[in-house]
Amino acid sequence: MDWIPYNEEMEKYAEEVVAEVGSPVYGRTTYQLMESYWPTMLDNPNASKHDMDHANWLQDVKKIVISGTMDKAEWNNTMLIKDNIAEEIKVLKEQPGKNLVIFGSPGAAKTLFQLGLIDEFLLTICPVILGGGKSVFDCGVEKTRLKLLSNRTLTAGVIATRYELVK
């Protein structure tokens, strides 16, 4: 993810997004990347305050991983959803508290989009053309209208947007 122009302003924006999160939702690949990295920050004397705060938050927060191939999720306080994804996510969405938020995880995002379980899109548009990768929106869903709720341009050239699904 070295292509993301990460600076102090992006860090602050990320903290604002995380403040809204009751549970992060990951697909298998992103979950395994997070699980292999963030717990190591807890004992890292060189970790920044931001990294330490985020590592502690991730250690404690209820995490959700959507994967048909994993047998178990061993990271502290993680719920694995293998089957009945729509039903399981609907139950979680109905519980009181903060939002479920998908971080990265284009496969999981695509699945939840196809199931009609995404209410808002927080998209960050980075000033780089990758030339490949997985598209969240290439999932066989017909045209979907969105309503812009907010946007702002950050100093690194990143545009942070929030859209709601028009039903």
Side-chain angles (χ1 to χ4, degrees):
M1 300 209 341
D2 61 346
W3 52 270
I4 297 173
Y6 204 76
N7 61 17
E8 285 183 29
E9 188 179 25
M10 277 291 291
E11 186 175 279
K12 186 176 187 276
Y13 173 72
E15 289 170 357
E16 291 171 16
V17 171
V18 167
E20 298 180 20
V21 178
S23 290
V25 179
Y26 303 112
R28 178 191 52 81
T29 301
T30 303
Y31 170 81
Q32 289 173 335
L33 288 169
M34 297 292 189
E35 178 188 35
S36 70
Y37 177 76
W38 286 107
T40 68
M41 291 292 104
L42 296 171
D43 298 322
N44 184 338
N46 298 319
S48 69
K49 180 183 180 329
H50 168 78
D51 285 355
M52 187 60 73
D53 290 346
H54 194 70
N56 279 307
W57 175 76
L58 279 171
Q59 187 66 17
D60 296 336
V61 74
K62 178 179 182 177
K63 296 165 283 297
I64 299 157
V65 60
I66 298 171
S67 174
T69 59
M70 290 176 59
D71 292 322
K72 59 184 174 179
E74 296 184 9
W75 193 6
N76 183 52
N77 206 17
T78 299
M79 173 184 183
L80 172 62
I81 300 177
K82 288 179 64 91
D83 302 303
N84 304 315
I85 296 169
E87 294 81 11
E88 295 279 353
I89 295 294
K90 284 178 186 175
V91 167
L92 291 168
K93 285 178 67 171
E94 291 171 1
Q95 294 176 3
K98 296 180 177 182
N99 297 330
L100 301 176
V101 177
I102 304 165
F103 288 109
S105 305
K110 190 179 294 190
T111 297
L112 296 178
F113 187 41
Q114 289 170 329
L115 294 170
L117 295 170
I118 296 179
D119 303 311
E120 287 187 359
F121 295 86
L122 277 70
L123 304 173
T124 50
I125 302 163
C126 294
V128 64
I129 297 172
L130 295 176
K134 292 184 181 181
S135 170
V136 172
F137 303 108
D138 180 24
C139 59
V141 174
E142 291 185 30
K143 178 173 58 178
T144 303
R145 297 209 180 271
L146 304 174
K147 177 183 176 188
L148 181 65
L149 299 176
S150 66
N151 71 78
R152 71 187 206 225
T153 302
L154 307 178
T155 56
V158 172
I159 302 170
T161 65
R162 179 183 295 256
Y163 292 91
E164 73 179 351
L165 191 65
V166 176
K167 298 185 183 199

